[in-house]
Amino acid sequence: MRKQRPFVGVATLVTVALVLAACGSQISTGKGLCRSVGNQTAASPSTPTASGTSDLKIGLVTDVGTLDDKNFNQFSWEGAVLGATLIGAPAPQNIVTTSPDKYASNIQNFVDQNYNIIVTVGFALGAATLAAAQANPDVHFVGVDQFQSNDPLDNYESLIFNEAQAGYLAGIVAASITKSKEIAAIGGSGDIPPVVNYMRGYENGAHSVNKDVKVDLKFVNHDDLTVAFNNPTAGKQFADQFLSQKGNVDVLFQVAGKTGNGILQSAEAAGIYAIGVDVDQWQSTHDQAECIVTSAEKKLTKAVSEAIVAMGGGQPRKSNVFYGADNAGVGLAPYYQFADLVTADVKGKIDDAFSKMGSKALDPCMSAAGTSTCYSGTRDTGN
């Protein structure tokens, strides 16, 4: 049986106001389910005001990829920038990781320059971050998606998101709007817990609406993280082939970082509904916005900024800091031009699930058969 990570809630997140407009016209590609975004725009967040001055030096090390990946690296970086602004610290600096063997040396680069706060982005940096934190007790480390299981350190703060909850909500949407009753999720690798948990939550959420909906779960590459999470071309090729084999799929959820941007391109070319991940991809990958119904969000920017603000205020956090339905740390992005698809009945199901997950009355990892389906410590190969 698969086991879910322990989950408790902390800090409250600040939401960003968005401007929504009416539905657009149909786009005549593939199945023709996409819609023009028309004149819709998303409002920019207001410029924050510094609450003081700080001399803390803040550095961020990305996972393999680019800083402007329009996803995990980018929105964590924006959290570092926001946090520095709020405490009046110097502008943060970043190091973009080009290959996994650079994780430790990139972190050490900031240590050698006497940085006070080092943010590392992604599950894959966990071992290198833990080793650096153990060796440098005077430096505060913030690890995004890096669960600490044994003897948490006072100078190491892990930001943990309940991806299964966000995936569950996305699954409710997908099962409610599918016309063919076959939906899918494509993840980067089945070895990465957040990826698996998103997808298994998605599957369980869909089946909570209709147990007969077919949910296909596939992974791009288990052995090469660069291909799995940093190769849009590979993502599009994988999704194109998958969709050619699964002609009935009409909702596609991507869980593959920058590789997933190619998966969104494939959904657009096929003219089917798409669901983004981690951030509001209607905004971040706006070229595919005509097909993006919503996104399963982690509030990355706010979580990272809150860690920096706490440190700047002399109250650094430690151990695992959890974000989920109980503190608005996860959720769904707006529906924009697809708002009419998400009826009052569907919204009611989403709100009910969100409330029950927040109170722990609903486990998004629990399948209809009564088994826990989230990451178990072994590779998930999909179905």
Side-chain angles (χ1 to χ4, degrees):
M1 180 179 292
R2 296 174 182 268
K3 297 184 182 297
Q4 185 185 11
R5 293 183 301 203
F7 197 85
V8 293
V10 293
T12 302
L13 301 180
V14 181
T15 58
V16 178
L18 299 169
V19 178
L20 306 182
C23 298
S25 59
Q26 294 290 118
I27 301 297
S28 58
T29 59
K31 289 185 172 64
L33 301 180
C34 302
R35 299 176 178 181
S36 168
V37 300
N39 295 321
Q40 292 185 91
T41 59
S44 300
S46 59
T47 303
T49 302
S51 59
T53 58
S54 171
D55 59 0
L56 292 176
K57 295 175 65 176
I58 303 164
L60 179 141
V61 178
T62 75
D63 202 346
V64 174
T66 61
L67 194 65
D68 60 345
D69 63 356
K70 303 184 186 301
N71 205 287
F72 213 76
N73 286 334
Q74 179 176 331
F75 283 75
S76 296
W77 168 245
E78 290 180 5
V81 173
L82 176 62
T85 300
L86 289 172
I87 66 174
Q93 302 299 309
N94 65 77
I95 298 175
V96 177
T97 300
T98 56
S99 64
D101 62 354
K102 301 294 184 183
Y103 291 149
S105 60
N106 287 346
I107 295 171
Q108 188 62 42
N109 189 311
F110 281 130
V111 171
D112 292 343
Q113 296 181 66
N114 298 316
Y115 272 68
N116 307 105
I117 303 174
I118 300 175
V119 181
T120 63
V121 183
F123 172 83
L125 279 83
T129 305
L130 175 61
Q134 291 171 332
N136 301 278
D138 294 332
V139 179
H140 187 74
F141 291 85
V142 179
V144 183
D145 267 2
Q146 298 166 18
F147 185 75
Q148 297 183 60
S149 57
N150 298 309
D151 300 323
L153 302 177
D154 288 345
N155 65 320
Y156 181 18
E157 169 185 352
S158 297
L159 306 181
I160 306 298
F161 301 85
N162 197 317
E163 298 89 5
Q165 291 182 341
Y168 193 95
L169 299 177
I172 292 175
V173 172
S176 299
I177 66 175
T178 178
K179 299 178 183 296
S180 67
K181 305 306 177 187
E182 184 169 3
I183 64 176
I186 297 178
S189 167
D191 291 323
I192 307 299
V195 172
V196 173
N197 293 344
Y198 263 131
M199 294 170 68
R200 291 299 176 177
Y202 176 77
E203 179 182 40
N204 294 334
H207 286 155
S208 76
V209 173
N210 184 344
K211 62 182 178 58
D212 295 324
V213 167
K214 181 174 175 54
V215 185
D216 297 301
L217 305 180
K218 301 296 178 183
F219 298 95
V220 176
N221 192 300
H222 294 297
D223 302 314
D224 187 335
L225 293 183
T226 299
V227 174
F229 296 104
N230 190 40
N231 192 324
T233 300
K236 186 175 188 306
Q237 291 173 344
F238 185 94
D240 284 348
Q241 182 177 12
F242 168 76
L243 291 174
S244 71
Q245 296 169 346
K246 296 284 187 177
N248 288 330
V249 168
D250 61 358
V251 185
L252 183 57
F253 177 34
Q254 82 89 355
V255 194
K258 193 171 183 178
T259 295
N261 295 345
I263 295 170
L264 295 178
Q265 293 168 10
S266 181
E268 180 186 35
I272 64 174
Y273 299 131
I275 297 177
V277 75
D278 288 335
V279 302
D280 182 355
Q281 293 205 274
W282 189 96
Q283 294 186 67
S284 67
T285 55
H286 198 65
D287 287 346
Q288 282 71 57
E290 63 192 20
C291 298
I292 298 174
V293 177
T294 188
S295 299
E297 285 191 291
K298 296 178 180 180
K299 309 300 184 181
L300 293 162
T301 298
K302 298 307 177 188
V304 173
S305 68
E306 287 178 358
I308 292 171
V309 168
M311 183 67 179
Q315 297 181 318
R317 306 184 303 191
K318 63 181 181 179
S319 188
N320 299 305
V321 180
F322 294 94
Y323 288 89
D326 57 340
N327 58 10
V330 299
L332 291 178
Y335 310 112
Y336 299 102
Q337 74 270 24
F338 294 104
D340 64 309
L341 290 181
V342 186
T343 64
D345 177 63
V346 177
K347 289 177 182 176
K349 292 175 182 176
I350 292 169
D351 291 344
D352 182 61
F354 191 80
S355 176
K356 287 180 177 177
M357 288 189 293
S359 66
K360 308 301 186 292
L362 171 63
D363 181 355
C365 289
M366 194 62 62
S367 70
T371 58
S372 183
T373 60
C374 287
Y375 187 74
S376 64
T378 59
R379 174 174 291 174
D380 193 310
T381 56
N383 53 35

